[in-house]
Amino acid sequence: MFIIVLLFLIGFILISKGADIFISYTVLIGKKTNISELILGATIVSFATTLPELTVSLFASLDGHTTMSLGNAVGSIICNTGLVLGLVAAISPFKVDKNMFLSKSSLLLISVIVLILIGLDGMIDKKDGIILLVMLGIYMYTNYKSVCDDNKKNSRSSTRREKTTFKEVLKIAIFFTLGLIMMVVGSKLLVDNGVIIAQFIGIPQGVISLTVIALGTSLPELVSAITAIRKKHHAICVGNILGANILNIVSVIGISAIPNNIPILAQTMKIDFPFMILILLTLILPTIKKSKLYRWQGILMMGIYFTYLTTLYLMYIAL
């Protein structure tokens, strides 16, 4: 048990320090390239922090545990929005870039609508997966256009940039990747050993699966978000969550549907999807109207998230 606790603490240290390095070098990438922090969050950061969800869901699909692939992706969207962004807004409310937020949130809502429509027959098959992957291509193209437009705008308004040497590019790439690896490895150590500690204390398996494991794949988003607001880089945080939520649908579910069809459980249609829609609308509608994330929004989103967990727990107890 001493080794388990030690590994748990090492995981915590790795994920904390990894997030610090990851955000610092993300900000440095923004300064070197003149790309806005919100776009960086929606592109590089969201692709990086969604890797745990993609890995877990893809291997679950390959192993035949296809319902886990969908549950992991939808659960991560609810956790990312309700817990991660809700906590950030509750701690430190902030303004957003209205046009950029509208663009990314609109694409997120379209992705959710498409997911629900293709799932009405109770199955996400290979053809549905291809539809989602086409949307992934559209998302990547819109990000490319955003980066190009951002660079043009900044090059007109800013002074001449100093050239970045190959050595500096290599250093940024190495430390950015190192920070990400530290977060992913730290998350794995934290979750795996956290489960063992919880079992040792006597916490039921069902409760563990709804808390520690459900939170596990969202830990990179959570820790990087908290680190971002601590360093006053809120735009990276909101861009990361919007981007990660889109990717959970168009890439995580899309790719996972290729090896095996994904059946949609009654719980997903009756509980997961409604909570996902509710929590996303709580985030998007007031923010688009006022171009700001409010503290009350954050508290409400966290309330919805914990209500979702309670609903699942009560359903588990009833079974």
Side-chain angles (χ1 to χ4, degrees):
M1 184 50 66
F2 172 76
I3 294 172
I4 298 297
V5 173
L6 182 62
L7 289 173
F8 180 84
L9 293 174
I10 290 171
F12 181 78
I13 293 166
L14 278 175
I15 198 172
S16 301
K17 188 59 182 174
D20 199 49
I21 295 170
F22 184 71
I23 294 299
S24 295
Y25 279 87
T26 299
V27 172
L28 190 56
I29 290 170
K31 287 177 180 176
K32 293 289 185 181
T33 59
N34 270 350
I35 300 171
S36 75
E37 290 184 357
L38 194 145
I39 294 175
L40 275 176
T43 53
I44 299 173
V45 177
S46 60
F47 272 99
T49 56
T50 311
L51 281 175
E53 284 95 334
L54 178 58
T55 304
V56 169
S57 293
L58 180 58
F59 279 107
S61 178
L62 290 170
D63 291 340
H65 304 297
T66 49
T67 53
M68 186 186 293
S69 300
L70 180 62
N72 178 44
V74 174
S76 290
I77 292 171
I78 295 170
C79 184
N80 287 344
T81 311
L83 180 61
V84 180
L85 206 50
L87 183 62
V88 168
I91 294 171
S92 178
F94 58 94
K95 287 189 173 291
V96 299
D97 181 317
K98 185 173 185 177
N99 292 331
M100 195 59 62
F101 184 88
L102 178 62
S103 167
K104 301 303 178 190
S105 59
S106 298
L107 191 52
L108 174 56
L109 288 178
I110 291 169
S111 301
V112 169
I113 292 167
V114 169
L115 175 63
I116 292 170
L117 289 176
I118 63 176
L120 288 176
D121 60 355
M123 183 79 68
I124 298 176
D125 57 23
K126 289 180 179 63
K127 287 184 289 185
D128 298 330
I130 291 169
I131 291 171
L132 293 176
L133 291 177
V134 169
M135 292 189 66
L136 172 62
I138 294 169
Y139 175 63
M140 291 175 72
Y141 176 74
T142 60
N143 280 332
Y144 170 75
K145 287 287 292 177
S146 295
V147 170
C148 290
D149 293 344
D150 216 38
N151 268 323
K152 284 179 185 176
K153 184 177 72 176
N154 287 326
S155 63
R156 285 196 299 266
S157 61
S158 63
T159 56
R160 188 166 56 92
R161 277 185 296 159
E162 58 180 89
K163 285 189 175 181
T164 306
T165 64
F166 174 76
K167 190 176 178 181
E168 287 176 311
V169 171
L170 187 63
K171 181 184 176 183
I172 291 170
I174 289 171
F175 277 95
F176 179 87
T177 307
L178 176 65
L180 176 64
I181 291 170
M182 287 171 70
M183 282 199 298
V184 172
V185 172
S187 298
K188 179 74 173 165
L189 287 172
L190 207 66
V191 172
D192 289 353
N193 293 286
V195 168
I196 295 172
I197 293 168
Q199 288 173 333
F200 180 79
I201 294 170
I203 298 173
Q205 183 68 42
V207 177
I208 295 170
S209 66
L210 292 178
T211 52
V212 182
I213 295 175
L215 180 61
T217 54
S218 292
L219 271 176
E221 285 92 343
L222 177 60
V223 180
S224 60
I226 293 171
T227 305
I229 63 165
R230 184 168 56 83
K231 292 175 175 283
K232 307 296 183 186
H233 298 292
H234 296 81
I236 291 177
C237 170
V238 71
N240 178 22
I241 299 304
L242 289 175
N245 286 347
I246 294 169
L247 289 172
N248 269 308
I249 296 172
V250 299
S251 71
V252 174
I253 298 175
I255 292 171
S256 299
I258 301 300
N260 287 298
N261 294 340
I262 303 174
I264 300 178
L265 302 176
Q267 173 205 312
T268 303
M269 292 299 291
K270 293 177 181 177
I271 298 176
D272 300 341
F273 281 174
F275 270 101
M276 177 178 67
I277 294 167
L278 178 61
I279 211 163
L280 288 177
L281 291 179
T282 304
L283 163 67
I284 293 168
L285 295 182
T287 307
I288 286 176
K289 188 176 180 182
K290 296 291 186 179
S291 301
K292 183 178 179 180
L293 251 171
Y294 292 91
R295 180 169 280 113
W296 67 263
Q297 262 178 287
I299 294 168
L300 183 56
M301 287 190 291
M302 289 175 69
I304 295 169
Y305 172 70
F306 287 113
T307 303
Y308 169 70
L309 285 187
T310 303
T311 303
L312 290 182
Y313 175 71
L314 291 175
M315 187 185 71
Y316 163 78
I317 293 296
L319 295 174

